[in-house]
Amino acid sequence: MAVPAGEGNKVRVTVALGAELLEQVRRAQPNLAEMSEQDLVRAAVWMASGQSIPIVH
């Protein structure tokens, strides 16, 4: 499973996040428990934009 990057041109972003912040995202969305850190960040952006998280199987 993965969280898609969305439509349009892709922008590469490097961020540093605390492990606890990523764990909060995992707890908020139990279906993301096994996702990579990259997918968790994508999911957080989808959530922040007010959209549901599109998960690709």
Side-chain angles (χ1 to χ4, degrees):
M1 294 190 329
V3 177
E7 299 296 321
N9 292 333
K10 307 305 182 250
V11 178
R12 185 168 297 274
V13 178
T14 301
V15 296
L17 300 172
E20 180 57 31
L21 184 57
L22 291 175
E23 287 306 313
Q24 288 176 11
V25 174
R26 283 186 207 278
R27 285 192 299 269
Q29 296 291 325
N31 58 330
L32 302 178
E34 301 301 319
M35 295 284 182
S36 69
E37 286 81 7
Q38 183 175 358
D39 282 328
L40 287 174
V41 172
R42 286 183 184 141
V45 172
W46 281 102
M47 290 186 320
S49 70
Q51 299 182 44
S52 61
I53 303 167
I55 298 178
V56 178
H57 296 272

